Structures are given as structure tokens and as C-alpha cells.
Amino acid sequence: MTKRKRQQGFYTKRLKSSQEGSNEEVLLADVRDVLRKVRRKEDSSPIQMNGKSPHTLSYEPPDRFTEVEVEISSLSSTGDGLGLSSTSDHVYVVPFTLPGDQVRAKIIKYFADHHYTLADFVSVLKPSPRRNDSLVECPYFAKCSGCQFQMLPYDEQLEYKKTVVEKAYRNFSRLPPNLIPAVRGTIGSPLQYGYRTKLTPHFDGPPGNMSKKARMDPSLRKGFDRVPPIGFMIKGTRKTMDIEDCPIGTDAVREGMKIERKRVASEISNYTNGATLLLRESSQRIPTPKSTPKSPKSPTTMDSHLDIQESGQNNQIAPPSPTDASIVQTTPSTDLKIPCDQPLLKTYVTDQNALITEHIGPYTFRNPAGAFFQNNNSILPSFLSYIRSHILPPTSQTPPIKNLIDAYCGSGLFTITLSPLFASSTGIDIAPASINSATHNARLNNIPPEKATFLTATSATIFGSEVVGGYDPDETVVIVDPPRKGCDAEFLGQVLGFGARRVVYVSCNVHTQARDVGVLVRGKEGGAGYRIESLQGFDFFPQTGHVEGVAVLEKVDERNEGKGKEG
């Protein structure tokens, strides 16, 4: 690579396969869409620029770290703004911007083969009518990599996330438009701030400690001579930004973040490496006055002590006192019929092996603090109610669906909350620790073993006779909630081979979901596939570009083949 190209930030990293639904490919699909629209417009009405047709112009990239003025024309599904170069044949990708913004941006990386440049946001020269900076609640916004849309009204955030789902199915499902139903409006979060029950701020080790020599010889590692930045990554870099508070966190974890920052500062001389701090909310229902025994202690003090002891707080960290880390909140009634106005005592936990308690409507879940569980409890009641109302056919059919298979079941959230709808439910996961948690949570919620069973299995054996051999596929629904990378081909083949009557696919990455749903709709050669009954987005992470997707599928067979063909 020439010096000139290095100055211009040429980037030659090979992008992943588009079938993976990676962040790079999602962005590339949006860049190509912008350029296609420009070409169509030029073909229908040629424009002369500087005496030349745009087709003959050649983009000359500015040197790296120089600043350019960009007018943003659209939003990518990654949450970044997209703006055309003056030659209309290259796209600038600028975070923290909205369509209609005129901004100053700093050139960072130039992808010559893909006709786009990543740039840092510098300032707004002329704001978009859609921008409302008075909505921003975080002083670190537009630098921290956590949030993208604090300046965008919430109803517009929800509309944007609907388009993310639409584009995901258009770009990654490989299905014709007539087989993709209209995407429903995104269901919003009751809390737009103060919703996140888990934060993981971190700090980096002293410079030089990760060198080859230092890794081989611990005696060469330096200690800290000052307290390092403790917080989150600066957008577009691997540098940590010092962040004292995060307003999307719940009150309990925000208080915990302040306390843990002070603890690290006081103990920094003990560290030779960087570390990640876990802050996980745990809640406990406070007995109502009628059932509270008389005690000289206040309910808050008594329950805080019990909660910390049960959680197994890290012995190296002093337990927070009730006054600075225990938050009493009142939970309103929900679709899952939690008792109205029942207060919850909320604390934070730092030990990833400690058990934390989550209350979702009338259900209680206890899991290791470091294990996966949804991080926005405020939206879970409406989310689970939606799945409960759509997991069975909208009209009665024979034979009735009696069985549930919950693949990727984790700690049992779906198996347990959906079990009242089925005669038998089976939760399956590859991790034995998850199965242990799920089994314990079923007992905790008084779900008998004959109603909910949990098994360890891999994708190759998940539908084997020893696992769900007693289930008639025509009387069974499968729910899947895989990690961001989606399902592998072997698992999807197992789903198609089993042929459950209905499939509900939940995903935190609607692009890999669209890819996998496309496989299920196309089906196996010579065999029936599925039709998409509905597509629904949920906003689990307000102020960010992320959207949770729920796709409901129905098998195409003799009873509903006509529906499948109609799309």
C-alpha cells in the first residue's frame, strides 16, 4: 500500500459473506441502495456537474483525518447517517446524524472497492428539521458508542426501526416481495431512559503491558500511576472514554456504577491489567403492609440485607449500603397481571457467579449475574403477551397444538411463561448451566415437570427421538431465540425435517433472522416450507439503532398451501 493511500485511509479488510448478516454487510447493502437510487435518477434525468456527466467523474478521497462537509440523505440500518460526495459516486458514513443534517465530518477509513468512507462526527452546520438536541439527556452523547438517537423524537425512533426490519427482509431473506408481509409498527418500550438492567463499564491496562515481552515476563508489567478512564468505547475507536454516569441504566446500576468507580480509584494500585466491571440489577418484592411482620427495621433496610446476602456479593467489594445502592420502585400493573402497586427493592450485583432475581409479571427468575437475560424488563410483559397471543393459530384448527419446543431456551423464559398454553413444553439448550437455571426456575414458579422439561442437546440432536420423539409435528410449535449470528444450516435443516406446525423466531439481529426465515420459507427441495404470518419489531433498546424482531411462521401443507402461495 502506498503512502498516499495510507494517508487517505484506504481499508482493504475483506468483508464477510452477505449471508451472515454482519454489520459490515448491512451497511454495504444500504450504501449500494443509495448509489442505485442516484444512478436511476441520473439515467432518467442526466445532470451535468462541472461540465461533465457524473458517470465520468472519479471520486478523489481526502487525506485521512481531514474534515469535509456532508449533507445527510438517509439512515443506515446500522444507525449511521449516509451522505453523498460531490461527485455522487461515493458515500460518507457519519454517526450521530439524521437525514437533512448538514454536518462537518472527519475522514477515518476509505473503502475504495465498496465506494464508501467511514467518518467521525465533528459538528452540525445546519440541523435537520427532525433533530431536537433538547431531548439529549447524556453529556457523552455523540462521543460514546452506546447510543445513536437521543436527538430523535421517540415516535420517529420507532418508525426508523420499522424500516430496519423492512430492509432486513428485502436485503437478506432472498424472498420475493409477495412472500414478505407488511411489517407492523414497532412496539415501544415503556421506559426510554433508565431501562437497562446491566452495564459493563471497563478500563484499560497501563500502556505497554500487553506487549509480547510483558506478557511473557510479568515482572516487566507496569502499575497504574493514575486512575485510567473508566467507561465505554469512543465511537469508531478502541479507546475507552471516562464516563461517570449512564442515563439508560436503571437507578440501581447507575448508583452501582458510581460506587464501583470510587472503589476502583481507591484500589488502582492493586491492578496491573485492565478489567470489566459487571453491574447487574437484582430485584426483590417487598411484602405488602398486611403481611409484613413487625420489626424494628424498616422494610428497605431488612430486605436490602437479605438481598445482598442471597446474591453472594463479591467478598472483595464492600456491599453497598441501603441508602446508596438500594432503590425501592413501584411496578405498575401489566398484561401479565403482576399485582398492582407492588414495590420492588432493587440492588446491583458485581459478581458474575452470584444469583440475581428478575420479576416479570407473576413470574420470578433467578440466574447467575453473568448469564444472558433480557436487559430491559420494562418491555418484557408486553413482549411476552404478544408472543402468547400469536404462538397459536389465529383460528381454531384440528388437530390442536399441544406441544412447545423452546430451542435456545437459556434460563427458561419462554418455556416457563408459555407453559400454561400447552400440555407439554420442552426447553433445549447446549449449555448445561442454562438447563440447570431453567430447571430451577420452573420449580421456583411451581411449574410441574410434566408441564415443562429441560434437556441439554446440540443442533444435530435437538429433534431426535430421544429428545422430542413423543411430539407429533402437526401438534407442535417451535420457538427459537438464537444469538446475534443466527441459526446454523444444520439446525435449520433439523427444523425443516421435523416440520412443526408453527415456528416463532425471536432475534436481536433482524438481518440474520431474515436470512434464516428465508431458508425456512423456501423449505427443502421437494418438501414443504413455511409462510410468514407476521413480522413485528420491539424496541428493547431505546436511543440506539437496535431492534428485536419476532417472526411468526406457519407450515405450508395441504390445509394452508393456498395461503403460502398468496404470501
Side-chain angles (χ1 to χ4, degrees):
M1 183 181 294
T2 66
K3 180 179 179 181
R4 173 65 177 167
K5 287 186 175 181
R6 282 196 299 272
Q7 288 175 337
Q8 292 173 338
F10 270 79
Y11 202 57
T12 57
K13 176 182 176 184
R14 184 175 179 271
L15 295 179
K16 298 177 183 178
S17 164
S18 63
Q19 294 307 301
E20 292 182 332
S22 66
N23 195 66
E24 296 95 336
E25 284 294 338
V26 170
L27 176 59
L28 183 57
D30 288 331
V31 167
R32 288 170 173 165
D33 187 53
V34 169
L35 296 175
R36 273 195 299 267
K37 289 178 180 177
V38 171
R39 283 194 292 269
R40 284 198 297 267
K41 184 177 180 180
E42 291 170 353
D43 291 340
S44 62
S45 178
I47 303 172
Q48 294 293 314
M49 299 180 66
N50 299 325
K52 297 181 180 181
S53 165
H55 292 295
T56 65
L57 293 175
S58 178
Y59 174 73
E60 290 292 334
D63 287 346
R64 196 179 187 191
F65 303 129
T66 58
E67 295 183 359
V68 296
E69 293 185 10
V70 183
E71 182 172 357
I72 304 301
S73 60
S74 60
L75 282 174
S76 168
S77 292
T78 61
D80 301 308
L82 305 178
L84 282 167
S85 66
S86 59
T87 55
S88 298
D89 61 352
H90 193 84
V91 175
Y92 291 110
V93 182
V94 189
F96 311 117
T97 59
L98 297 173
D101 277 339
Q102 292 183 19
V103 301
R104 188 177 300 280
K106 182 185 293 184
I107 301 300
I108 300 299
K109 290 179 181 177
Y110 171 46
F111 293 80
D113 292 342
H114 300 293
H115 307 287
Y116 73 89
T117 293
L118 298 181
D120 278 348
F121 170 80
V122 176
S123 63
V124 175
L125 301 175
K126 182 180 179 181
S128 163
R130 300 171 64 183
R131 175 181 286 270
N132 184 351
D133 287 328
S134 69
L135 298 174
V136 175
E137 295 194 13
C138 179
Y140 310 104
F141 179 68
K143 294 180 180 178
C144 172
S145 60
C147 295
Q148 293 83 50
F149 292 128
Q150 290 191 23
M151 73 302 203
L152 185 64
Y154 191 56
D155 60 338
E156 295 193 43
Q157 291 187 37
L158 297 180
E159 185 60 32
Y160 159 76
K161 295 185 181 189
K162 177 184 175 183
T163 68
V164 171
V165 181
E166 291 171 340
K167 289 194 295 182
Y169 277 82
R170 183 167 69 241
N171 294 334
F172 292 93
S173 71
R174 294 171 54 203
L175 295 173
N178 67 302
L179 294 185
I180 304 173
V183 176
R184 300 176 177 182
T186 309
I187 295 177
S189 171
L191 298 177
Q192 287 92 58
Y193 284 92
Y195 64 82
R196 192 174 175 93
T197 57
K198 177 184 177 183
L199 293 174
T200 52
H202 65 273
F203 60 93
D204 300 321
N209 278 16
M210 294 305 294
S211 67
K212 185 176 180 180
K213 289 183 178 180
R215 291 198 303 269
M216 295 181 65
D217 184 357
S219 66
L220 297 177
R221 298 175 187 172
K222 303 176 183 178
F224 287 94
D225 57 6
R226 64 177 64 87
V227 179
I230 304 171
F232 307 105
M233 292 288 191
I234 298 174
K235 176 69 174 177
T237 75
R238 297 191 64 81
K239 296 179 181 179
T240 302
M241 180 179 185
D242 193 61
I243 293 178
E244 296 182 358
D245 188 22
C246 179
I248 66 172
T250 64
D251 289 345
V253 298
R254 290 175 72 181
E255 287 297 318
M257 186 170 175
K258 295 174 184 177
I259 294 169
E260 293 305 302
R261 283 173 53 87
K262 292 178 182 178
R263 180 189 65 79
V264 170
S266 67
E267 299 176 1
I268 198 62
S269 60
N270 298 333
Y271 290 88
T272 57
N273 295 314
T276 296
L277 310 178
L278 172 65
L279 301 164
R280 190 68 182 262
E281 181 177 276
S282 184
S283 60
Q284 181 178 2
R285 287 189 176 130
I286 298 176
T288 58
K290 291 182 180 180
S291 59
T292 302
K294 293 182 179 180
S295 169
K297 295 182 178 181
S298 68
T300 301
T301 304
M302 176 184 68
D303 288 345
S304 174
H305 173 74
L306 290 174
D307 185 76
I308 291 172
Q309 294 302 314
E310 291 178 35
S311 297
Q313 199 83 0
N314 189 331
N315 291 330
Q316 296 179 350
I317 303 172
S321 66
T323 56
D324 60 12
S326 298
I327 311 295
V328 177
Q329 297 182 351
T330 298
T331 303
S333 59
T334 68
D335 291 340
L336 289 187
K337 299 179 181 179
I338 187 171
C340 187
D341 298 329
Q342 186 169 13
L344 295 175
L345 178 76
K346 300 191 175 186
T347 60
Y348 77 95
V349 172
T350 60
D351 180 358
Q352 65 175 355
N353 296 315
L355 292 179
I356 56 100
T357 303
E358 308 266 6
H359 295 286
I360 312 299
Y363 296 97
T364 300
F365 295 88
R366 288 179 65 81
N367 311 294
F372 172 78
F373 198 84
Q374 295 289 357
N375 293 330
N376 182 351
N377 283 356
S378 75
I379 198 173
L380 280 179
S382 59
F383 172 69
L384 292 171
S385 291
Y386 176 88
I387 292 178
R388 284 168 66 101
S389 63
H390 289 79
I391 198 164
L392 296 175
T395 57
S396 60
Q397 298 176 0
T398 55
I401 294 179
K402 301 186 296 184
N403 309 310
L404 170 70
I405 297 174
D406 180 8
Y408 304 92
C409 73
S411 59
L413 176 66
F414 292 129
T415 314
I416 290 169
T417 58
L418 297 173
S419 62
L421 302 178
F422 301 95
S424 176
S425 301
T426 300
I428 304 169
D429 202 281
I430 194 173
S434 295
I435 295 302
N436 288 339
S437 293
T439 302
H440 172 77
N441 285 328
R443 290 197 299 265
L444 190 64
N445 289 281
N446 299 314
I447 309 295
E450 59 271 18
K451 289 281 289 183
T453 303
F454 296 94
L455 302 169
T456 303
T458 65
S459 60
T461 62
I462 198 167
F463 293 103
S465 59
E466 69 279 9
V467 179
V468 291
Y471 286 178
D472 180 347
D474 211 31
E475 299 177 353
T476 301
V477 60
V478 172
I479 186 167
V480 297
D481 185 8
R484 289 189 62 81
K485 66 180 181 180
C487 304
D488 59 33
E490 186 175 31
F491 175 79
L492 294 174
Q494 292 276 325
V495 173
L496 287 169
F498 180 74
R501 179 107 135 264
R502 290 170 73 80
V503 174
V504 176
Y505 192 132
V506 179
S507 179
C508 60
N509 184 342
V510 292
H511 307 94
T512 54
Q513 180 195 59
R515 176 201 66 197
D516 295 346
V517 166
V519 172
L520 296 176
V521 171
R522 288 188 296 275
K524 286 187 174 182
E525 185 175 355
Y530 288 83
R531 76 173 185 94
I532 306 174
E533 184 175 283
S534 61
L535 296 173
Q536 175 70 64
F538 286 83
D539 188 16
F540 272 70
F541 299 103
Q543 319 307 333
T544 79
H546 299 292
V547 58
E548 192 93 359
V550 178
V552 179
L553 313 179
E554 183 180 23
K555 187 170 67 173
V556 176
D557 57 16
E558 292 79 7
R559 286 189 305 276
N560 53 39
E561 187 174 1
K563 294 180 182 179
K565 290 180 179 179
E566 293 169 5

